Amino acid sequence: MITLALSKGRIFEDSLPLLKAAGIEVLEDPEKSRKLIIGTTHPGVRVVLVRATDVPTYVAHGGADLGVAGLDVLLEAEGGLYRPLDLKIANCRMSVATRADFDYAAAVKQGSRIRVATKYTKTAREFFATKGVHVDLIKLYGSMELAPLTGLADAIVDLVSTGSTLKANHLVEVEKIMDISSRLVVNPASLKLKREGLRPLIDAFASAVEARA
Ligand code: ATP
Ligand code: MG
């Protein structure tokens, strides 16, 4: 049996067409069912539903053989994962945002200091270190837009797609850090032990990604 870890929401939705191209259909809708293990039309493949940030953990420790995770999540996670494929789904970017009246250019002058709230502390630390800016990082788990509005931080590092959430909270995107998409991640031991089952699956995903490009 091959176990695929997915998170509910956009990654699940965007993975469905790729699974379909690999000849796999999921037998239950996670928005309607409370089941965490879902069968598929492929007798040798099942899907487990986990939090987006837990996908790398499941796959690295063999709780799942493979999974789909955002680059944002992978950059914060431990290593030990084989990453064969950019699936080019759940596309967005990671950016710095501030209040419109905040002088970001002055705040990131070499040797200056800035307070940044984010869920992505590792990525933010590296980004500002490269710029030579001292950063006081404040770890948050959600509603990051609130931080500059309440004075908790000068800036946030967060994912942006349309920018409407920033706009609704009177924040402006001041610098893009990187483009983000979701990646296929595979447990290295599984790839050896279940190669016969996994290789065709990975190849089918690769063809489906290419066909969509
Ligand atoms: P939750 O929103 O339930 O707290 P989460 O933020 O970890 O959990 P999702 O919002 O489903 O989970 O995001 C999962 C992945 O989808 C992220 O890791 C990222 O790669 C991608 N993603 C997040 N926000 C966006 C967005 N606005 N547009 C496109 N992709 C996004
Ligand atoms: Mg989210």
Side-chain angles (χ1 to χ4, degrees):
M1 178 64 85
I2 287 169
T3 302
L4 168 68
L6 295 176
S7 54
K8 277 212 266 187
R10 79 190 96 221
I11 286 189
F12 183 87
E13 300 300 328
D14 287 5
S15 295
L16 290 182
L18 296 173
L19 283 168
K20 198 163 183 184
I24 299 166
E25 281 184 64
V26 176
L27 295 177
E28 220 130 2
D29 176 358
E31 300 303 332
K32 290 182 189 140
S33 154
R34 286 165 183 258
K35 280 190 190 167
L36 298 175
I37 302 180
I38 308 180
T40 73
T41 51
H42 189 310
V45 178
R46 64 177 184 174
V47 168
V48 292
L49 295 172
V50 304
R51 277 297 290 265
T53 44
D54 291 336
V55 168
T57 309
Y58 268 82
V59 177
H61 295 279
D65 300 300
L66 73 175
V68 177
L71 179 61
D72 53 315
V73 164
L74 290 172
L75 290 173
E76 298 292 315
E78 305 287 313
L81 292 169
Y82 176 52
R83 279 162 53 174
L85 205 56
D86 181 354
L87 297 172
K88 298 176 183 167
I89 59 171
N91 300 315
C92 54
R93 57 192 183 271
M94 195 178 293
S95 291
V96 184
T98 67
R99 279 169 50 153
D101 58 4
F102 181 75
D103 189 349
Y104 180 70
V108 294
K109 286 229 174 75
Q110 285 278 334
S112 59
R113 193 156 204 108
I114 186 172
R115 292 173 306 148
V116 175
T118 187
K119 189 159 121 182
Y120 305 104
T121 47
K122 207 164 153 181
T123 310
R125 184 176 294 111
E126 279 167 26
F127 175 71
F128 286 105
T130 305
K131 289 169 76 75
V133 175
H134 297 288
V135 62
D136 294 316
L137 284 170
I138 301 161
K139 170 89 183 184
L140 291 179
Y141 294 89
S143 302
M144 272 157 309
E145 298 82 11
L146 203 52
L149 303 178
T150 54
L152 180 69
D154 303 313
I156 58 171
V157 166
D158 200 5
L159 300 178
V160 183
S161 53
T162 62
S164 55
T165 306
L166 291 180
K167 202 169 176 195
N169 290 292
H170 310 288
L171 299 179
V172 288
E173 187 177 1
V174 289
E175 191 170 10
K176 179 170 101 171
I177 299 178
M178 66 178 89
D179 287 310
I180 298 288
S181 58
S182 285
R183 314 294 162 113
L184 190 67
V185 290
V186 184
N187 177 283
S190 297
L191 192 59
K192 288 196 190 114
L193 299 168
K194 301 185 181 179
R195 192 172 188 95
E196 268 176 54
L198 279 174
R199 203 66 249 185
L201 210 57
I202 297 168
D203 292 344
F205 286 146
S207 309
V209 172
E210 260 184 54
R212 288 158 57 89

